[in-house]
Amino acid sequence: MDKASEAETKNPEFVFNNTVLSQYENKKKTAIITSKIIEQYKNSDISYVEDVYFETYKNGNIDTKGSCGYLIADTKQDSYELYDKINIYSEEQKASFGANYLKYNSKTEQLTGSRTDNVHIEKDGIVIYGSGFAASGVTGEYSFSGTVSGEIETDSDKASTESDNQ
């Protein structure tokens, strides 16, 4: 490989700073992404993104919002890898997800974690930590194939306090 070809593969063709990208379908906003840096390389469908915040929309309302330190977006494969301090909130499920690594496939609507890294989920007073995370955007179900632990909050203290005051 000559030096010019090597430089093309190692150096980004485009670098975008402090970017705000919006996606529209049928004149309706479906997503917005803000980031500190986006790098795109020649002859590649992959973008490398730093300090990402995103929102997706359904029927004009926020469906999902989140952030992460780094994102690798492979637009040809419809695959997105999120890294570092990931926080995602699903409005439909009223659940928040936290992790250091997640991968999303938009073709299959699957969100997966690694076999060893923990994912943190909070929903309806339940907090779950587990590894081997997998979630389906189609069914809204999620599972863990590794170790799982968690906490459940109840309103029993609140209920007893209310009954004592009556």
Side-chain angles (χ1 to χ4, degrees), residues 23-122:
Q23 178 183 28
Y24 290 84
E25 293 177 13
N26 299 322
K27 299 181 183 180
K28 292 182 181 180
K29 187 183 333 185
T30 56
I32 187 168
I33 298 172
T34 62
S35 65
K36 180 179 174 184
I37 297 173
I38 299 176
E39 294 181 352
Q40 292 181 319
Y41 292 79
K42 190 171 185 171
N43 301 323
S44 176
D45 296 314
I46 298 174
S47 297
Y48 299 89
V49 189
E50 183 180 343
D51 287 340
V52 180
Y53 175 79
F54 62 89
E55 294 176 352
T56 61
Y57 299 86
K58 277 189 185 172
N59 303 319
N61 297 315
I62 293 177
D63 179 51
T64 305
K65 58 185 173 181
S67 61
C68 64
Y70 299 95
L71 169 71
I72 299 175
D74 185 338
T75 54
K76 188 171 187 174
Q77 298 297 318
D78 289 329
S79 174
Y80 305 88
E81 292 186 58
L82 294 80
Y83 298 89
D84 198 24
K85 299 177 188 167
I86 303 163
N87 291 298
I88 300 173
Y89 179 76
S90 168
E91 187 65 44
E92 183 178 338
Q93 293 186 17
K94 302 288 188 226
S96 62
F97 302 83
N100 278 318
Y101 172 80
L102 291 172
K103 184 174 184 176
Y104 180 70
N105 182 314
S106 61
K107 286 181 184 175
T108 62
E109 295 188 39
Q110 287 290 119
L111 182 66
T112 56
S114 76
R115 292 185 314 156
T116 57
D117 287 337
N118 274 334
V119 173
H120 170 228
I121 301 173
E122 291 186 35

Side-chain angles (χ1 to χ4, degrees), residues 125-164:
I126 298 172
V127 179
I128 300 171
Y129 300 90
S131 60
F133 174 77
S136 170
V138 176
T139 65
E141 296 176 357
Y142 44 89
S143 64
F144 295 92
S145 62
T147 305
V148 176
S149 65
E151 302 168 11
I152 299 175
E153 286 184 27
T154 64
D155 288 335
S156 62
D157 291 336
K158 183 178 179 182
S160 65
T161 303
E162 289 176 1
S163 64
D164 292 342

Side-chain angles (χ1 to χ4, degrees), residues 1-11 42-43:
M1 181 180 283
D2 65 9
K3 288 185 180 188
S5 297
E6 187 175 331
E8 285 180 353
T9 59
K10 289 186 177 182
N11 297 303
K42 190 171 185 171
N43 301 323

